[in-house]
Amino acid sequence: MSELYEKLIFDLSSDGHAGISLPHLDVPEIEISDIIPPEFLRKSPPVMPSVSEPDVMRHFVALSRKNHHIDKGFYPLGSCTMKYNPKVNENLAGLREFVDAHPLFPENAVQGTLSLLYELKDLLCEIAGMDSVTLQPAAGAHGEFTALLMIRAYHKKNKRNPNKIILPDSAHGTNPASVVMAGYEVVQIKSNDRGLVDINRLSDHCDDDLAAFMLTNPNTLGLFESEIQKIAHLVHDAGGLLYMDGANLNALLGLARPGDMGFDVVHFNMHKTFSTPHGGGGPGAGALGVKSNLEPFLPVPVVSRKKDRRGDHLYFLDYKRPDTIGRVHSFYGNVANLIRAYCYIKNLGPEGLKEVSETAIVNASYLREKLKDMFELPYDGETMHEFVLSGSRYKARGIKTLDIAKRILDFGIHAPTVYFPLIVSEALMIEPTETESKASLDNFVEVMKTIIGEIESDPEKVKSAPHDTPVSRLDEAMAAREIDICYNE
Ligand SMILES: *Cc1c(COP(=O)(O)O)cnc(C)c1O
């Protein structure tokens, strides 16, 4: 695209240009100061660029091409599931009937939205094997926090006050953060040499003071915790609850259910598994499924229904719940995400959802086999929707995983997650997702081969990457900490 449109929109501006021309008004003109008090009036007019409609389009299309995004290329970001999401769900969530519904409308005016939310709860219960669902939390981390408050309320109701939450050392960073925010103490246990929960270490900590064990399954190495039932028994026997971090449920849909494995509570990320584009800049939704033991403590309001006098269903927001932990979000939660999730689930149906997970697993396994000899696969069990390689052999030769990740960008591919989980040195965490074709996966393998070749032939090229992106390598710490300086320069 021409450099002309890469300029700031203010530099494109020239007097007299306009995007649209409005007809002359046929009502009398009045002075704005006659209707708006002077203290609210601007002292000088706002600075606005004068640009024609095509110039505006080209400017913003040029901007959109500077960033990498899922509509542009492969995005194998492990743990954070950047998959292509059906655009039809955007249209459905954008229907006027949903968008124009004010959160303060009376319940009888939003029966459609409420019935959709009610049905979504049922669908999520069925998918995860749970008894009830709250749609309130605004993100995965918020779901974790909400669940921990419910876990505290549950123990309190049972006249107990245990203080510790156990996490494996492969846990996502939001887990310990949520634990601390909820006022609990984190106990981290080291994984065994297969990358799974070490049952002996776990049982050492299963005592009176155990409030819950938070686990991701498949874990962040992509490995299924095969001893999950034993784990559930240990935790429950100590009086604790079992929490599942289900942010990425896309390995399990239609194949296995957290509820059947013994989990008491699970959060789902609508913005990873169920259609809302993750990282799209908008809000997320971290619904929470619970077993009946935790149901009384759900945050309010709970979308409920009753029969009216004619025997028809009447949907309503239930606030009268004596044991509730209270509110965690305003009104209904982030409804647009919930509508997309509903459409996604209904559109695919049980067979389609199962195929999502099967394909995610096949795609990840294919890449793992193609790439494992180029790197190291420190935990080489059968992985599911993602897998974690180590670049430590290249580190020894002066090339960090970060360098490889930056070089990947030059090929129009987003880098995988790097340096997570923490238990793998020089980690590259790769999740292709179910929406990639074999050609796209093969292309990624070829790119990785090329980069490995460059480490031999031209290591400086890798160390100084990226070369072909709009900006070269950034000082990321400074960019985060001194945002003003970066901006002004
Ligand atoms: C993304 C993620 C979370 C946190 O979800 P947010 O919506 O980003 O708060 C928690 N656990 C795992 C495993 C994740 O991948």
Side-chain angles (χ1 to χ4, degrees):
M1 192 167 244
S2 153
E3 271 183 27
L4 177 63
Y5 300 105
E6 308 248 331
K7 289 186 190 174
L8 294 182
I9 196 159
F10 285 96
D11 295 334
L12 280 179
S13 172
S14 79
D15 283 348
H17 285 197
I20 40 171
S21 43
L22 297 170
H24 282 293
L25 289 181
D26 57 359
V27 291
E29 246 177 58
I30 51 169
E31 279 304 320
I32 196 157
S33 52
D34 290 345
I35 50 170
I36 295 181
E39 65 268 33
F40 298 124
L41 283 178
R42 287 176 176 277
K43 305 284 170 287
S44 52
V47 185
M48 299 283 273
S50 305
V51 198
S52 71
E53 182 172 324
D55 284 351
V56 172
M57 272 320 277
R58 288 173 190 168
H59 171 73
F60 281 106
V61 170
L63 272 186
S64 77
R65 287 158 58 137
K66 281 184 191 281
N67 269 330
H68 190 79
H69 46 87
I70 199 81
D71 291 340
K72 188 165 142 183
F74 188 38
Y75 209 135
L77 199 69
S79 191
C80 286
T81 313
M82 296 292 292
K83 64 180 179 181
Y84 183 81
N85 297 115
K87 298 293 178 270
V88 64
N89 297 337
E90 298 299 317
N91 295 347
L92 295 169
L95 288 176
R96 266 199 57 202
E97 287 76 0
F98 293 124
V99 174
D100 290 353
H102 192 279
L104 289 174
F105 272 1
E107 280 160 2
N108 64 11
V110 286
Q111 285 294 300
T113 302
L114 288 174
S115 71
L116 179 149
L117 296 178
Y118 187 89
E119 201 186 327
L120 175 61
K121 284 182 11 173
D122 277 354
L123 293 167
L124 292 173
C125 280
E126 174 66 27
I127 287 169
M130 290 287 160
D131 297 323
S132 194
V133 161
T134 171
L135 302 172
Q136 294 278 322
H142 194 202
E144 295 166 19
F145 178 70
T146 303
L148 288 162
L149 297 184
M150 290 169 62
I151 287 169
R152 188 184 285 293
Y154 164 88
H155 287 305
K156 200 166 164 211
K157 188 86 184 174
N158 292 323
K159 308 259 181 309
R160 295 185 63 232
N161 192 20
N163 200 34
K164 70 181 183 193
I165 305 278
I166 305 178
L167 304 174
D169 55 2
S170 55
H172 190 269
T174 50
N175 293 185
S178 303
V179 171
V180 171
M181 278 189 69
Y184 277 116
E185 183 198 327
V186 180
V187 176
Q188 183 177 295
I189 55 165
K190 201 168 162 328
S191 302
N192 66 20
D193 54 9
R194 288 182 299 142
L196 301 173
V197 171
D198 187 319
I199 302 285
N200 291 330
R201 287 200 187 102
L202 174 64
S203 78
D204 288 347
H205 291 285
C206 283
D207 52 32
D208 254 9
D209 202 28
L210 175 65
F213 180 36
M214 285 177 94
L215 186 61
T216 310
N217 197 18
N219 68 21
T220 58
L221 296 164
L223 297 165
F224 189 80
E225 295 285 351
S226 47
E227 297 196 274
I228 185 61
Q229 283 180 312
K230 201 183 266 179
I231 293 170
H233 282 307
L234 271 176
V235 170
H236 289 146
D237 284 350
L241 294 173
L242 194 57
Y243 181 96
M244 162 126 161
D245 179 337
N248 309 288
L249 213 63
N250 42 330
L252 297 182
L253 300 173
L255 300 177
R257 306 194 309 167
D260 299 337
M261 297 177 205
F263 285 98
D264 300 287
V265 46
V266 53
H267 85 255
F268 316 86
N269 277 18
M270 300 303 160
H271 48 289
K272 289 182 186 170
T273 311
F274 296 111
S275 188
T276 285
H278 179 196
L288 206 56
V290 298
K291 287 279 182 60
S292 55
N293 53 353
L294 285 170
E295 187 170 2
F297 312 103
L298 285 172
V300 283
V302 172
V303 183
S304 304
R305 74 178 183 197
K306 58 189 174 196
K307 290 260 170 77
D308 68 9
R309 261 174 288 141
R310 286 194 318 236
D312 292 333
H313 285 305
L314 198 67
Y315 296 89
F316 67 104
L317 293 171
D318 184 9
Y319 287 90
K320 291 201 200 92
R321 302 177 58 91
D323 288 327
T324 175
I325 58 162
R327 264 182 180 288
V328 297
H329 196 287
S330 51
F331 304 109
Y332 303 63
N334 289 335
V335 176
N337 299 11
L338 303 171
I339 298 170
R340 288 189 199 99
Y342 174 87
C343 299
Y344 184 77
I345 293 169
K346 292 291 273 190
N347 196 346
L348 285 166
E351 284 308 311
L353 288 177
K354 189 164 167 231
E355 212 181 316
V356 163
S357 287
E358 287 169 346
T359 313
I361 295 167
V362 169
N363 278 0
S365 305
Y366 179 74
L367 271 190
R368 183 194 66 219
E369 288 306 305
K370 290 277 182 189
L371 294 174
K372 71 177 188 189
D373 293 336
M374 283 186 230
F375 293 86
E376 267 148 75
L377 185 64
Y379 300 101
D380 63 352
E382 282 294 312
T383 50
M384 296 187 77
H385 64 304
E386 65 191 3
F387 59 99
V388 183
L389 299 171
S390 167
S392 45
R393 87 166 67 139
Y394 302 111
K395 173 87 179 288
R397 287 195 242 157
I399 302 286
K400 300 186 297 266
T401 284
L402 183 70
D403 302 324
I404 297 172
K406 294 294 183 192
R407 184 66 181 130
I408 291 172
L409 308 181
D410 285 331
F411 294 87
I413 292 176
H414 196 281
T417 299
V418 291
Y419 300 103
F420 177 75
L422 305 176
I423 56 177
V424 173
S425 65
E426 297 299 307
L428 271 162
M429 184 192 213
I430 300 173
E431 178 180 2
T433 80
E434 78 283 1
T435 47
E436 294 300 317
S437 65
K438 180 165 177 296
S440 154
L441 302 181
D442 286 337
N443 177 54
F444 181 58
V445 173
E446 286 310 309
V447 166
M448 293 303 254
K449 265 191 205 152
T450 304
I451 296 173
I452 302 299
E454 287 174 349
I455 293 178
E456 298 293 332
S457 63
D458 191 0
E460 282 312 312
K461 189 161 194 180
V462 182
K463 270 193 217 171
S464 54
H467 306 282
D468 303 331
T469 46
V471 290
S472 56
R473 193 159 324 183
L474 299 169
D475 180 337
E476 284 161 7
M478 183 172 152
R481 289 187 193 143
E482 298 183 44
I483 202 159
D484 288 351
I485 296 177
C486 298
Y487 184 73
N488 289 332
E489 279 175 2

